Amino acid sequence: MLKRPAFYIDMEACTGCKTCMIACIDKHDLPKGILWRRVSEYTGGDWNKDGNGKYHQNVFAYYLSISCNHCENPICVRSCPTTAMHKGPDGIVSVDHDKCVGCRYCEWGCPYSAPQYSEGLGKMTKCDFCRDYQREGKSPACVAACPNRALHYGEYEELADKYGSENLVAPLPSPNITQPNLIITPNRNAKPAGSQAGKISNPEEV
Amino acid sequence: MFSSEWSLVLFTVLTQAAVGIVVISEFTRLLLKNSGAHLKWQAPAACALTALGLLFSLTHLGTPLHSVFTILNLGSSWLSREILVVGCFFAVILLLVLQRRKAPEKGATPLAIASIVVGLGAVFIMTRVYLLPTVPVWNSIATTFGFFGTMLLSGSVACGLIGSLENRSAKNAESCSSMAGVFCVSALVGLALKFIGIVLSMIALNNTDNYGMNALHMVADKGVDGLVAWIVMVCAGIGLFSWFALKAMGTKQIKLIASPALCALALVLAGEIIGRLMFYGTYMRIGI
Amino acid sequence: MSKENSAPSKKKKGVSRRNVLKWTAALGGVASLSAGGLFYGLKKANRQPNSDEKIVWASCNVNCGSRCALRAHVSDGVVTRIETDNLGKDTYGSHQVRACLRGRSMRRRMYAPERLKYPMKRVGKRGEGNFERISWDEAYALVAKRLKKAIDEHGNESVYLNYGTGNLGATLSKSWPPGATPIARLMNCLGGYLNHYGDYSAAQIEYALPFTYGSGWVDGNTYADITNTELFVMFGNNPAATRMSGGGLVNDIVQARKKSGAKIIVIDPRYTDTAAVAADEWIPIHPGTDAALVCGLAHVLITEKIVDDDFLKKCCVGYDEDSLPEGIPAGNSYKSYILGKGDDKTPKTPKWASEITGIPEKRIIQLAHEIGRAKPCFITQGWGIQRQANGEQNCRAICMLPILTGNVGVQGGNTGAREGSFGIPFAGFPTLENPVKTSISVFGWTDAIVRGPEMTATRDGVQGRDRLIAPIKFIWNYAGNCIINQHSDSNRTHEILQDESKCETIVVIDNFMTPSARYADILLPAAFNLEEDDFAVCGWTSTMAYQIFAPKAVEPFFESRTVYDICTGVAERMGVRNAFTEGRTRNDWAHWVYAKQRANTPDLPENLDDAFTQGVFKYERKGKPAVPYKSFREDPKTNPLPTPSGKIEIFSKRLWNIAHTWELREGDVISALPQYTPTWEGVSDPLRSEFPLQLIGHHYKQRTHSTYGNVDWLKQVAPQELWINPVDAEKRGIKHGDMVKVFNKRGTVIVPAKVTPRIMPGVLTLPQGAWYTPGKDGIDQGGCVNVLTSQRPTPLSKGNPQHTNLVQVEKA
């Protein structure tokens, strides 16, 4: 098992296909409305007519596939009143269903929408980094599924050595809040965090 | 626009009102000697309100049976602390009520002081629960002003109502009229806090721009009715209450307050509930 | 809905009670999940692994252009999880053929509530969807009776095998091409059937490009060659939605881009996912005007002399007046056309092109310079641009860019056709020869129902006869949704099919109660591809070919049967069982095909079961990417093209003759040169005063055409939405997520709006393939674009112009 597991996203390869989402749903039998991994579409650009009546545009779009980042300083763990939300010795942030009271306070705080409430269980659920697969030496379902090899995982330090430690593109929040174990190679469309150039344009899908 | 967080709305408004009742009535007791005889029912009422609030909070939970675990994370969770401190508040005022039943004027003062301190602490910790770094709309001093404002507004009007009812045939009118003065002042202070809170929260809302969605614009778009209703009801309630409280001071007849205070309490509570619904409704988190 | 739900689940042969119970459990899980009540997932996660759980190889056989390997987890006879290729170290070249989101949702599709369980016959009117359960014996007898009647009364040419691609890529149960299906074999035993040519994907390019490059499939350089080019220009073409496999072209383009320094430009009305991931620049263009852009570019290239004169002289005819074929009047060369010296006297300047395409004039000039100066330049096109009323012109016109600049037959160049693919042939199931040679366009079947014997060779593109001898009376529709969903103008088709005296019988063989299945007279449940042994052939790839050996994972669902067994049943009633089966069971044929394939690829294991165990066999293509037409380019005299002149025919004498002999509808143009021709419901149609917006229907990740269109997981992550630019949305007070009404004279669709700058102003796009779901008022609630598309065929290939539509939109 890894000590500090992290996800790595190569935005140059992500087409927003959402195979990771479906692999996750299938692996964990997620019911409708619960998506442990979500692909956000960040889109921007304007259309302006010139004097000849022809449009000019600077449209861009890119996708970001985000699940739980199993943060170093997870706000969900910090704020959970019951300690049900915890970071294990394997670095994985998960919910102890024997304790979770279903207050949804972790959901309020997490800037990645990682903890998700199950009406059926009356408790929170979230990405467990496919702990069972990792124990068997297999990749998490989303990583093994990625058709364009945009999604990887590994030991944070090793990934950081290989790809740098950048993880700041819009619309992600400042990493100072939770210190996410996420590394990103931005693509040429990527806007810096806090940019007002675009917006999440698929709220209905995530 | 309005959220469906009804349990939390009722929990926070009722417990804050209860703290207000306790803080104002116990402070009045300490301030005005012999006022105790005229302030018998405030603490029991606060006790009942707190119990009711706690019951409402349980309905928010997906697995209420696990609520016993909610005080396990006092080290880092403000929510855990909130649950503990509201529980303590309930326990302290319960003790206070029992102590007074046993011996009306003996040995209750330390408990009274404790209940004020724990109550104020409870409201403070409640504000901290909402000061989340990922929720800029809430993460503002406006939340603190708002919660303490609620405490004073609803607490003073409720104290006034209870005071007028229990002293309908009071003999020591002098003491009662001073009480009315204290309630009136605290109500006006509460209103001031509320207004500062509203202005500050508008600023906080305007600064919340989550990738093209400005929270203030959202309020302007969908929440103007609620905002106006909230302000009008609270102002009308406090105006009514203060007017009659002043009148009661002049005529030394606290019973004059009874009907207006009932109206005022209804207006203030309804306004505060609308305001609190809007507070939850403007929840907008940064990130994705 | 159908009566099938209320049908008694009496015990039938071949279906044990245990099977029914386990399916009921599987379906029950589906039902309770969709009700949102039961979160059995986490409970299941705690479950001990079932001792009898097995993992078997499977494949996703749909018409997406890719093909993927799946690994089905099977527990207690039910598929419980789907994974994908996990073989090897996933090094590019022997990489894993990872399935896309659709393949990964396979179990949700397989156990969807729409799954058919029993043979049924229609009660009530066609299309209402009311059916009555019958036995297989009754079903076979009924099909045989109707088939005999059609053949006896109207001849074999009244029997039609409709286009169906729901099991494309399979071998024994393949549904496309229809001529290679068990149904074709059955019909060939009975005297044949009416053929069709072309397909809904690429009817026009397949028909038109051979006039330029010679007969047959016009090949292209592969995406792997992006590493060897300077500039890569895509006209349309969105592999991120149409070739989505991790072993397919989208991965090839992503991998090639990483290694390549080439600039990538995407020309498309829509900022596609391919543009998002790969393009350095997006040039939005009005639908149907690609040929006009090419003319404007050609004008710059020609006037600024950035054309490859040597190549044009050596390898092409019709560029200038000197190389026009004999007997053609002067002024008909390409150069004359572009410079305004032809009949229309209009120079095709960048300004002229700008007015039509909506692209600023400056950008056209700059693009011409970029294309002219890049050595080499790789120009490719998708198939969307040819599903236009002038699609035959668009696709030929795009090829003019590499022709003018001499980029054909070079490393890092291309023909201008769609990119090429690397594959390994797979043995087929023999379907015998069709004695009937008559063929209609794939798009012409509704006309052939209405006015078959009026359809002629020169007016309607009938092939093999001057005129049809019979209308279509009997339709076999296997694994296809073209009856109502994927064919144009659903409302007109509905009207045509309402008259049962015209097309008398529709037999649908499918897995699901699709919109087309609702129009069946006899509805037969086919086994799912995970419920039978089969071999799946490779999809489109650049560097690695593969074959997938997929054994039966679970027993067929309820009473469903393999299409081979269904055909055997009908063959028996028709008295041709022995001719049809040659004494072989489906399993015998599997071994027969495998033995043939082993002759092609001897490295396959001797035993079929071993192949089923290994699952995927991969073949890397080593060395530099292939360059089609290289030998021709180097020595056109020794290696001539299969055109009449042996050269690239910019001017096609064959088309000249067709243009002068065929009867065309008013406004239709067939021209010897690849020209820009304005069309009905095109960007310059006066009808825009009433219906101002152009509507296209892009391919969408939620579905492969209409396959997977009923899968709830996919609908959740990729809902059906109409794309509309903020400029057009604001004018109409439409906000993101609003329900809107899209309509024209052919029909109305209600669908949520996706307000996005990713579609250009003046253009809407409604992803094609959503399931037609008409309300009582006939208004479609499912978002099926074909409610709005036209059945008017294109001039030359008589193909489907499904992206040529004018509509209006308003808030619903």
Side-chain angles (χ1 to χ4, degrees):
Chain A
M1 288 297 280
L2 302 169
K3 288 194 176 63
R4 187 180 166 184
F7 282 113
Y8 164 67
I9 301 169
D10 178 4
M11 286 177 66
E12 289 280 6
C14 178
T15 63
C17 71
K18 301 174 177 173
T19 306
C20 47
M21 293 175 76
I22 297 295
C24 180
I25 292 171
D26 183 47
K27 157 77 167 65
H28 301 286
D29 276 313
L30 300 182
K32 193 171 194 283
I34 295 187
L35 298 168
W36 288 355
R37 181 170 279 285
R38 298 152 311 281
V39 177
S40 295
E41 177 192 342
Y42 186 77
T43 305
D46 299 307
W47 290 81
N48 294 302
K49 251 187 190 168
D50 67 14
N52 299 319
K54 300 290 167 292
Y55 278 104
H56 294 251
Q57 49 77 32
N58 55 349
V59 172
F60 71 91
Y62 55 85
Y63 294 93
L64 264 180
S65 168
I66 298 290
S67 65
C68 173
N69 296 309
H70 301 276
C71 305
E72 280 309 280
N73 183 13
I75 191 167
C76 57
V77 172
R78 247 149 60 200
S79 51
C80 173
T82 66
T83 68
M85 192 68 84
H86 64 287
K87 193 169 171 73
D90 51 11
I92 295 171
V93 174
S94 51
V95 193
D96 179 352
H97 279 171
D98 291 339
K99 279 188 191 159
C100 179
V101 69
C103 70
R104 307 180 73 161
Y105 192 48
C106 48
E107 185 187 1
W108 278 1
C110 174
Y112 305 99
S113 299
Q116 301 201 358
Y117 184 68
S118 159
E119 290 286 347
L121 287 178
K123 291 168 194 170
M124 301 309 295
T125 69
K126 68 180 289 301
C127 161
D128 64 356
F129 226 133
C130 288
R131 187 185 261 133
D132 52 346
Y133 275 9
Q134 286 201 51
R135 280 192 185 137
E136 293 169 31
K138 290 161 64 180
S139 300
C142 53
V143 171
C146 183
N148 295 309
R149 285 77 176 171
L151 203 54
H152 300 259
Y153 84 112
E155 197 69 68
Y156 180 85
E157 278 77 15
E158 285 169 27
L159 291 170
D161 285 349
K162 209 165 161 188
Y163 303 110
S165 55
E166 174 147 25
N167 56 7
L168 241 189
V169 295
L172 293 177
S174 162
N176 297 331
I177 303 170
T178 64
Q179 292 166 267
N181 282 311
L182 174 70
I183 290 171
I184 291 173
T185 298
N187 72 6
R188 71 219 166 284
N189 285 332
K191 304 292 178 226
S195 162
Q196 300 297 313
K199 62 178 182 186
I200 295 174
S201 53
N202 64 338
E204 67 278 16
E205 296 170 8
V206 291
Chain B
M1 184 67 207
F2 289 143
S3 77
S4 54
E5 302 280 1
W6 274 100
S7 346
L8 294 179
V9 167
L10 293 171
F11 165 69
T12 55
V13 170
L14 293 181
T15 47
Q16 284 162 17
V19 172
I21 293 169
V22 167
V23 167
I24 293 162
S25 62
E26 295 307 320
F27 177 74
T28 311
R29 275 175 179 254
L30 294 173
L31 190 73
L32 304 174
K33 287 204 168 137
N34 306 324
S35 62
H38 306 285
L39 293 166
K40 277 188 205 151
W41 289 99
Q42 276 76 1
C47 199
L49 278 182
T50 309
L52 196 60
L54 283 168
L55 280 177
F56 277 122
S57 81
L58 283 180
T59 66
H60 167 71
L61 303 175
T63 310
L65 284 176
H66 284 187
S67 52
V68 58
F69 299 124
T70 54
I71 50 166
L72 290 181
N73 198 14
L74 297 170
S76 70
S77 170
W78 283 104
L79 185 57
S80 217
R81 293 167 193 165
E82 177 194 54
I83 292 155
L84 183 71
V85 76
V86 174
C88 286
F89 174 69
F90 176 70
V92 171
I93 50 175
L94 187 64
L95 281 178
L96 179 66
V97 169
L98 294 176
Q99 172 66 26
R100 284 209 178 113
R101 280 194 64 159
K102 218 162 71 185
E105 292 305 322
K106 253 172 73 183
T109 311
L111 276 174
I113 292 170
S115 64
I116 292 176
V117 171
V118 174
L120 288 172
V123 175
F124 174 73
I125 288 173
M126 278 175 142
T127 69
R128 290 304 309 252
V129 168
Y130 296 90
L131 301 190
L132 288 163
T134 52
V135 188
V137 197
W138 292 348
N139 193 18
S140 139
I141 189 83
T143 303
T144 315
F145 274 95
F147 281 15
F148 279 101
T150 303
M151 177 193 93
L152 286 179
L153 281 178
S154 44
S156 50
V157 178
C159 276
L161 176 64
I162 300 166
S164 63
L165 292 176
E166 67 186 321
N167 296 302
R168 265 169 303 187
S169 49
K171 287 179 184 143
N172 192 342
E174 188 69 44
S175 170
C176 286
S177 70
S178 305
M179 272 164 49
V182 176
F183 299 158
C184 178
V185 168
S186 56
L188 290 170
V189 172
L191 192 63
L193 290 182
K194 199 90 239 175
F195 268 96
I196 296 169
I198 288 175
V199 171
L200 290 173
S201 73
M202 292 300 136
I203 294 168
L205 285 170
N206 197 28
N207 289 337
T208 301
D209 197 321
N210 197 25
Y211 300 105
M213 288 253 282
N214 180 298
L216 186 61
H217 291 171
M218 249 175 68
V219 173
D221 201 26
K222 293 175 184 164
V224 175
D225 295 350
L227 188 64
V228 169
W230 176 22
I231 292 173
V232 166
M233 286 167 116
V234 168
C235 287
I238 297 302
L240 187 70
F241 178 73
S242 313
W243 177 254
F244 280 92
L246 286 172
K247 253 179 119 169
M249 282 171 76
T251 58
K252 299 191 184 340
Q253 284 196 303
I254 197 161
K255 67 178 179 193
L256 276 181
I257 306 183
S259 308
L262 185 64
C263 283
L265 187 65
L267 282 168
V268 167
L269 280 182
E272 281 300 291
I273 285 169
I274 291 171
R276 198 55 54 87
L277 280 168
M278 288 189 68
F279 174 81
Y280 288 106
T282 53
Y283 168 82
M284 190 182 279
R285 205 197 53 223
I286 60 164
I288 54 170
Chain C
M1 259 308 279
S2 71
K3 287 188 179 168
E4 58 151 324
N5 292 333
S6 56
S9 59
K10 57 186 169 186
K11 198 171 160 185
K12 288 268 167 180
K13 78 169 176 186
V15 182
S16 72
R17 200 176 114 74
R18 184 168 165 272
N19 279 348
V20 174
L21 284 178
K22 97 200 164 201
W23 292 318
T24 309
L27 291 172
V30 169
S32 59
L33 273 187
S34 54
L38 177 63
F39 185 57
Y40 69 78
L42 288 147
K43 284 179 199 154
K44 205 181 133 197
N46 296 329
R47 181 197 70 184
Q48 291 302 309
N50 199 321
S51 54
D52 76 342
E53 181 168 291
K54 57 172 184 174
I55 298 177
V56 292
W57 285 99
S59 61
C60 175
N61 303 337
V62 296
N63 182 18
C64 66
S66 288
R67 183 86 48 251
C68 293
L70 303 174
R71 284 162 47 245
H73 294 232
V74 178
S75 187
D76 202 17
V78 174
V79 175
T80 54
R81 186 178 293 173
I82 295 286
E83 291 185 311
T84 191
D85 183 8
N86 62 347
L87 298 178
K89 286 198 154 50
D90 195 33
T91 322
Y92 188 65
S94 60
H95 47 284
Q96 294 164 355
V97 185
R98 295 185 182 179
C100 80
L101 72 165
R102 297 185 293 266
R104 297 300 297 259
S105 74
M106 186 66 93
R107 73 173 163 107
R108 206 61 180 167
R109 179 171 155 235
M110 186 170 180
Y111 298 122
E114 295 83 7
R115 188 75 200 269
L116 300 173
K117 297 171 187 159
Y118 314 104
M120 293 190 283
K121 69 174 183 192
R122 173 170 62 87
V123 292
K125 290 177 90 176
R126 260 198 199 135
E128 280 179 352
N130 289 322
F131 292 91
E132 192 175 273
R133 182 178 169 186
I134 54 177
S135 70
W136 273 109
D137 281 342
E138 290 170 88
Y140 292 148
L142 194 54
V143 172
K145 189 178 127 197
R146 301 280 200 105
L147 190 53
K148 270 189 195 126
K149 179 173 185 280
I151 294 174
D152 289 349
E153 292 176 7
H154 303 279
N156 282 67
E157 296 190 29
S158 71
V159 180
Y160 183 66
L161 272 57
N162 206 10
Y163 179 87
T165 58
N167 203 1
L168 186 145
T171 300
L172 296 171
S173 291
K174 73 164 64 179
S175 68
W176 187 87
T181 61
I183 296 158
R185 183 179 169 94
L186 167 68
M187 286 310 303
N188 291 340
C189 294
L190 294 168
Y193 59 92
L194 178 65
N195 298 285
H196 66 239
Y197 60 87
D199 52 73
Y200 282 85
S201 294
Q204 302 194 57
I205 193 169
E206 286 161 358
Y207 199 103
L209 277 204
F211 288 102
T212 307
Y213 283 106
S215 62
W217 181 259
V218 177
D219 206 356
N221 296 45
T222 63
Y223 281 157
D225 223 13
I226 295 172
T227 51
N228 300 313
T229 196
E230 274 187 27
L231 175 66
F232 180 55
V233 183
M234 306 173 90
F235 280 82
N237 205 343
N238 181 22
T242 60
R243 306 284 185 262
M244 285 182 78
S245 170
L249 292 188
V250 65
N251 185 45
D252 290 327
I253 206 168
V254 165
Q255 300 302 329
R257 189 182 183 281
K258 287 188 171 181
K259 292 178 218 150
S260 166
K263 180 177 182 181
I264 300 182
I265 296 175
V266 168
I267 301 167
D268 197 304
R270 194 169 69 93
Y271 187 83
T272 58
D273 287 348
T274 300
V277 77
D280 295 290
E281 193 184 348
W282 172 46
I283 300 180
I285 181 169
H286 279 298
T289 67
D290 303 79
L293 171 62
V294 170
C295 290
L297 296 169
H299 192 273
V300 179
L301 293 170
I302 292 168
T303 53
E304 297 189 18
K305 300 195 168 38
I306 0 185
V307 295
D308 188 336
D309 282 317
D310 283 350
F311 176 77
L312 288 166
K313 194 160 269 166
K314 200 173 87 177
C315 298
C316 308
V317 296
Y319 169 63
D320 53 21
E321 298 295 316
D322 297 342
S323 65
L324 273 178
E326 254 177 64
I328 302 301
N332 275 301
S333 71
Y334 189 71
K335 199 169 169 179
S336 300
Y337 167 71
I338 294 296
L339 298 180
K341 292 173 183 162
D343 288 345
D344 65 358
K345 303 288 172 222
T346 310
K348 311 301 178 303
T349 62
K351 188 169 184 337
W352 170 89
S354 171
E355 291 308 320
I356 297 165
T357 59
I359 303 170
E361 183 186 357
K362 266 192 186 166
R363 187 65 194 94
I364 295 176
I365 296 168
Q366 191 197 339
L367 180 62
H369 292 161
E370 287 174 287
I371 289 174
R373 284 166 195 160
K375 295 290 173 217
C377 180
F378 188 149
I379 291 165
T380 177
Q381 59 181 305
W383 291 341
I385 56 115
Q386 54 92 56
R387 282 192 298 272
Q388 287 280 351
N390 55 5
E392 292 118 355
Q393 299 279 14
N394 287 333
C395 60
R396 279 202 304 141
I398 289 163
C399 293
M400 284 312 298
L401 295 172
I403 291 170
L404 289 170
T405 52
N407 277 303
V408 179
V410 298
Q411 195 80 57
N414 187 26
T415 49
R418 190 165 196 159
E419 68 283 346
S421 176
F422 169 57
I424 293 203
F426 202 92
F429 169 70
T431 52
L432 311 172
E433 200 185 326
N434 186 359
V436 173
K437 300 301 164 202
T438 317
S439 186
I440 58 170
S441 154
V442 66
F443 192 56
W445 64 273
T446 32
D447 275 354
I449 291 173
V450 179
R451 55 178 186 91
E454 293 167 25
M455 290 173 74
T456 70
T458 55
R459 193 170 55 221
D460 304 292
V462 171
Q463 295 179 355
R465 282 192 192 276
D466 291 338
R467 181 185 284 272
L468 289 188
I469 56 167
I472 291 174
K473 289 290 176 186
F474 186 107
I475 294 178
W476 283 103
N477 191 82
Y478 166 47
N481 201 359
C482 282
I483 295 279
I484 198 77
N485 217 82
Q486 298 303 96
H487 188 54
S488 287
D489 202 345
S490 306
N491 287 326
R492 179 172 190 261
T493 309
H494 174 81
E495 288 306 316
I496 291 169
L497 297 180
Q498 286 301 291
D499 186 348
E500 292 170 33
S501 70
K502 289 201 173 107
C503 179
E504 292 170 352
T505 306
I506 300 172
V507 178
V508 170
I509 304 171
D510 209 305
N511 301 134
F512 304 103
M513 184 63 82
T514 64
S516 289
R518 287 205 302 267
Y519 286 81
D521 299 310
I522 303 154
L523 181 48
L524 307 176
F528 206 70
N529 75 320
L530 274 73
E531 296 162 357
E532 59 193 19
D533 293 338
D534 215 331
F535 320 116
V537 299
C538 186
W540 287 54
T541 67
S542 287
T543 50
M544 183 188 76
Y546 51 88
Q547 293 156 356
I548 305 163
F549 293 83
K552 180 202 265 191
V554 292
E555 289 301 317
F557 192 70
F558 285 81
E559 290 190 11
S560 48
R561 292 187 180 177
T562 67
V563 68
Y564 180 81
D565 288 348
I566 293 172
C567 289
T568 306
V570 177
E572 185 169 0
R573 269 65 173 188
M574 297 295 286
V576 293
R577 184 188 168 109
N578 288 341
F580 178 78
T581 63
E582 294 181 28
R584 293 189 181 93
T585 63
R586 190 178 185 281
N587 190 40
D588 296 335
W589 282 111
H591 284 88
W592 186 93
V593 169
Y594 187 69
K596 281 200 100 180
Q597 183 56 24
R598 279 200 75 230
N600 291 346
T601 42
D603 55 326
L604 288 174
E606 198 180 329
N607 191 333
L608 174 56
D609 286 337
D610 292 339
F612 280 146
T613 307
Q614 184 169 336
V616 192
F617 292 80
K618 298 171 186 173
Y619 306 87
E620 184 177 1
R621 188 186 190 286
K622 309 260 190 208
K624 287 217 151 197
V627 180
Y629 301 94
K630 188 165 180 245
S631 60
F632 159 74
R633 188 206 170 105
E634 282 163 359
D635 188 354
K637 287 221 169 70
T638 316
N639 309 303
L641 294 182
T643 54
S645 63
K647 293 186 176 181
I648 293 172
E649 299 201 337
I650 298 173
F651 181 100
S652 166
K653 181 87 183 289
R654 289 182 291 175
L655 281 177
W656 175 271
N657 293 339
I658 287 174
H660 286 83
T661 47
W662 281 20
E663 294 169 65
L664 295 179
R665 296 192 197 204
E666 200 188 329
D668 281 4
V669 176
I670 293 174
S671 64
L673 291 171
Q675 300 179 351
Y676 171 66
T677 49
T679 69
W680 54 271
E681 299 197 33
V683 70
S684 53
D685 190 329
L687 188 65
R688 285 190 74 184
S689 60
E690 192 180 349
F691 298 108
L693 299 163
Q694 290 185 278
L695 173 77
I696 56 174
H698 66 272
H699 288 49
Y700 188 34
K701 60 191 102 174
Q702 192 258 308
R703 305 175 288 272
T704 295
H705 307 295
S706 67
T707 315
Y708 287 99
N710 56 330
V711 177
D712 57 352
W713 287 353
L714 298 172
K715 288 196 217 181
Q716 182 185 6
V717 304
Q720 178 71 350
E721 290 168 326
L722 175 84
W723 290 37
I724 179 169
N725 186 284
V727 172
D728 297 317
E730 265 165 43
K731 273 185 214 159
R732 295 164 174 82
I734 292 167
K735 292 203 176 103
H736 187 85
D738 282 352
M739 291 304 287
V740 295
K741 195 168 97 170
V742 198
F743 59 97
N744 59 19
K745 291 202 168 134
R746 291 181 288 272
T748 304
V749 175
I750 305 267
V751 67
K754 178 183 174 79
V755 178
T756 173
R758 294 179 61 177
I759 183 75
M760 70 186 296
V763 182
L764 304 176
T765 176
L766 182 61
Q768 60 98 355
W771 285 23
Y772 173 60
T773 316
K776 284 210 173 96
D777 49 5
I779 292 175
D780 176 45
Q781 310 287 327
C784 176
V785 74
N786 285 317
V787 169
L788 303 161
T789 57
S790 168
Q791 280 185 10
R792 178 170 174 171
T794 59
L796 180 63
S797 64
K798 308 301 174 193
N800 48 323
Q802 282 165 306
H803 299 310
T804 299
N805 310 288
L806 290 180
V807 296
Q808 179 57 290
V809 61
E810 59 190 40
K811 261 180 99 156

